[in-house]
Amino acid sequence: MDSDTPSRFARRSALRLIGAGGLALGGGMGGGLRAVLAQGQAPALVTPDKARPQMPYGVMSGDVTGNRAVVWSRADRSARMVVDLSTTQGMGDARRIIGPAALESSDFTAHLDVGDLAPGQTYFYRVQFQDLADPKIYSVPLIGRFRTPPIKARDLVFAFSGDEAGQGWGINEAWGGYRVYESMRKFNPDFFIHSGDQIYADGPLQPEVRLDDGSVWKNLVTPAKSKVAETLDEFRGNFAYNLLDENKRRFCAEVPMLVQWDDHEIRNNWFPEQQFGPQDTRYQERSASLLAARANRAMFEYNAMRPDPVDPERVYRAFRMGPLADVFMLDERSYRGPNTANRQGAGDRNADFLGPGQTRWLKQSLLASRATWKVIASDMPLSIVVRDLNADVPKGTFEAWANADDGPPSGRELEVADLLGFIKQHNINNVVWVTADVHYASATHYRPDNARFTNFKPFWEFVGGPLNAGTFGPGEIDRTFGPDVKFVGIPPGMKQNRPPSDGLQFFGIGRIDARTRSLTVSLHGGDGQTLFKVELPAVG
């Protein structure tokens, strides 16, 4: 586990992040011209903007710990990343760090893992790119911020959601783009858990979609979003597409990201070693594992993620948010067995979901955690039944943990039972799950007195999403682990695949009170309205 991870930073109202996603023009900076002069460079008027390196996708931070943070951006040409780091908005005490070269090999993306940070400190970072062909020329700077977690407890706020640009619903600038990001930003979260389906590599967009009322949804469409992604460049283009949205760029400049993946980063319901059948005529490349390797590369290139030095493709990892919370980011794609009827009576390769290695890691990480709350970020829910309806898999195949039999654990549920039993055996308190995937919001309390499998402590699971995708549900519920569904965020009998304009997009907010140590989780509609809220007292 990382030794630390992000904690709450106070919003400074003077900071305004605009344009391509983060140029600070607040009073403390003295304007964009002063920002350039502070670098010891000539004013922007000397070099025409079109001659400068451009940063079309803004800036981002992520995987923030108590003493480190990853800063990310992308140039439009070969250029060297230069980062100035300061504890003041005016950047008067800035420490300059010369970063890596952004080259064709990384699609001109660049990451800088900044170290020697102080705990509990707000940092402002200013990113520029120096043109490698003409080192006298720099890009116009963009500014972001993050806060490192404190040593002593302080209030903590985080957001969670998932499912972005799916089912034909892309960036509609006339409607306001990805409005959920702006709604989440207003809650001032310390960090954001993106619970997967960051992209829909298998979901090409059409320029226009006719809605039920006769109006037209108009998508921004790029070449990469005009077909399913198969090449590395096409996967890169899918990740880049979402950063064309101004709301997301502004959010990423202000809120550190913790990301995981699910199926649509590759293809709906994929699993390792799968070969797509001829029924899906969209694909020339039919190896899920090959496509996943390309998608994994693009995901790490286009997110502020810190690769594991031993396993650079590893997605699962943990973050310490200070004394109040640890976050465990799971990977329920890379180590699963094939999608089957999911009724195995004993654990085997076909029943794997997390897989043995990741399961051992999660158990030991939970056991070692000294944080009050243990937040498990799962890219799929525990009891909502998700069937694999693809034409190239057998009928009666399941995609998620649940298998719809309501009986004792079987298939992938055996992993859940083993994990829940471990948590009870070792008296690990205050475990809560957050997830997305099913495209509607819900809150579920799991109780052993209501279950077929009873060897576990009661716990909660909260589902957010979609961020900007079709709304579906509600899903069928498997009763094996005693789910008591307290809230469902969609109307009964809803027509499926509702567009974002129907107002059924969702996210969650978690607030941990430093004084009481209680966790309050609320679920919100796309414009920020509170739909459900529950306060969970800390145990122990």
Side-chain angles (χ1 to χ4, degrees):
M1 178 184 297
D2 293 325
S3 60
D4 297 285
T5 292
S7 183
R8 180 173 175 78
F9 53 75
R11 178 175 303 279
R12 300 194 180 200
S13 59
L15 180 65
R16 296 189 290 121
L17 301 175
I18 67 169
L23 176 59
L25 300 179
M29 281 293 295
L33 181 59
R34 184 182 298 177
V36 176
L37 288 172
Q39 311 291 316
Q41 301 160 28
L45 295 177
V46 173
T47 304
D49 280 350
K50 65 181 180 181
R52 296 174 175 274
Q54 303 297 306
M55 301 164 63
Y57 303 118
V59 295
M60 184 191 313
S61 69
D63 287 12
V64 178
T65 73
N67 57 9
R68 306 198 70 84
V70 177
V71 173
W72 175 95
S73 190
R74 181 187 184 275
D76 67 341
R77 67 194 72 175
S78 296
R80 183 167 300 282
M81 184 187 227
V82 179
V83 175
D84 295 300
L85 191 71
S86 176
T87 58
T88 64
Q89 182 183 325
M91 306 296 291
D93 61 346
R95 167 167 63 109
R96 169 156 289 193
I97 307 168
I98 306 301
L103 300 172
E104 299 89 339
S105 58
S106 64
D107 201 31
F108 305 113
T109 62
H111 302 69
L112 183 64
D113 194 351
V114 181
D116 297 323
L117 303 179
Q121 176 66 56
T122 299
Y123 284 96
F124 297 86
Y125 60 93
R126 179 171 55 205
V127 181
Q128 289 179 284
F129 281 95
Q130 180 188 31
D131 195 324
L132 289 175
D134 188 347
K136 298 186 299 298
I137 298 178
Y138 284 73
S139 66
V140 174
L142 299 181
I143 285 182
R145 65 181 181 184
F146 60 85
R147 183 171 180 136
T148 54
I151 295 174
K152 295 183 178 180
R154 65 185 306 278
D155 292 351
L156 183 71
V157 178
F158 62 93
F160 60 92
S161 190
D163 316 315
E164 190 167 341
Q167 291 75 47
W169 313 111
I171 300 171
N172 182 345
E173 293 175 327
W175 186 69
Y178 292 171
R179 288 163 43 165
V180 175
Y181 274 109
E182 178 61 14
S183 297
M184 291 192 297
R185 188 183 69 87
K186 293 177 180 178
F187 284 85
N188 308 333
D190 295 287
F191 59 93
F192 172 57
I193 297 172
H194 198 310
S195 289
D197 292 341
Q198 295 181 61
I199 63 171
Y200 278 73
D202 58 342
L205 298 173
Q206 299 297 321
E208 295 185 350
V209 182
R210 182 73 59 179
L211 302 179
D212 290 347
D213 63 2
S215 62
V216 175
W217 176 276
K218 295 186 177 182
N219 284 315
L220 174 65
V221 182
T222 63
K225 290 303 300 176
S226 299
K227 65 177 293 294
V228 296
E230 298 178 273
T231 69
L232 177 56
D233 281 344
E234 288 166 349
F235 284 107
R236 288 166 165 167
N238 272 257
F239 282 98
Y241 175 83
N242 288 329
L243 290 167
L244 294 173
D245 179 74
E246 182 179 359
N247 298 304
K248 179 163 187 175
R249 292 197 306 273
R250 185 183 300 112
F251 183 87
C252 289
E254 295 192 37
V255 182
M257 307 289 281
L258 302 180
V259 300
Q260 58 195 158
W261 68 353
D262 193 30
D263 55 337
H264 290 286
E265 282 83 358
I266 295 89
R267 192 196 79 151
N268 186 42
N269 300 345
W270 76 277
F271 50 85
E273 301 181 13
Q274 182 182 19
Q275 293 289 323
F276 304 155
Q279 301 93 329
D280 196 338
T281 59
R282 303 172 301 167
Y283 285 89
Q284 299 300 310
E285 177 52 64
R286 300 195 171 275
S287 167
S289 293
L290 176 56
L291 295 180
R294 292 169 178 165
N296 182 278
R297 172 72 61 84
M299 178 174 66
F300 272 89
E301 288 175 342
Y302 273 86
N303 283 285
M305 298 174 71
R306 180 181 296 108
D308 182 89
V310 176
D311 182 2
E313 296 182 354
R314 175 173 143 178
V315 175
Y316 71 85
R317 57 212 193 282
F319 296 94
R320 178 160 296 166
M321 308 303 184
L324 290 180
D326 287 342
V327 175
F328 306 90
M329 306 290 293
L330 303 186
D331 177 0
E332 293 161 3
R333 284 289 148 193
S334 301
Y335 312 101
R336 65 163 60 196
N339 291 347
T340 67
N342 200 20
R343 301 289 176 87
Q344 294 88 351
D348 61 20
R349 175 69 185 105
N350 289 335
D352 284 351
F353 203 60
L354 299 177
Q358 185 177 189
T359 299
R360 285 193 298 272
W361 165 83
L362 180 57
K363 287 179 177 179
Q364 293 308 309
S365 297
L366 287 168
L367 191 60
S369 174
R370 295 298 176 262
T372 302
W373 290 94
K374 293 85 176 171
V375 181
I376 298 178
S378 171
D379 45 285
M380 301 201 76
L382 291 170
S383 62
I384 299 175
V385 176
V386 183
R387 301 175 187 272
D388 189 345
L389 301 179
N390 284 331
D392 53 2
V393 298
K395 292 183 179 180
T397 296
F398 291 88
E399 151 72 354
W401 306 86
N403 57 19
D405 70 350
D406 291 341
S410 60
R412 292 165 173 165
E413 294 172 336
L414 295 168
E415 275 192 355
V416 180
D418 177 52
L419 178 61
L420 296 181
F422 178 88
I423 291 171
K424 180 179 178 180
Q425 176 187 354
H426 293 278
N427 196 31
I428 300 172
N429 294 318
N430 308 317
V431 176
V432 63
W433 294 65
V434 298
T435 185
D437 180 67
V438 291
H439 294 237
Y440 70 95
S442 73
T444 301
H445 188 212
Y446 290 82
R447 298 169 21 222
D449 64 336
N450 194 41
R452 291 297 306 274
F453 174 83
T454 61
N455 185 33
F456 67 93
K457 289 172 167 281
F459 66 95
W460 283 79
E461 177 190 53
F462 301 95
V463 182
L467 280 164
N468 194 91
T471 306
F472 291 84
E476 178 186 356
I477 302 298
D478 186 303
R479 303 291 173 182
T480 298
F481 299 106
D484 182 4
V485 180
K486 298 294 188 180
F487 172 77
V488 172
I490 57 175
M494 180 196 75
K495 183 178 179 181
Q496 301 298 285
N497 194 16
R498 296 295 79 214
S501 53
D502 274 16
L504 297 172
Q505 309 287 286
F506 306 100
F507 64 93
I509 294 291
R511 297 179 182 272
I512 307 178
D513 185 288
R515 183 180 60 84
T516 65
R517 300 189 303 139
S518 65
L519 167 63
T520 299
V521 180
S522 51
L523 297 174
H524 300 266
D527 290 327
Q529 65 274 32
T530 301
L531 305 174
F532 174 84
K533 180 185 290 186
V534 61
E535 181 177 353
L536 309 178
V539 175

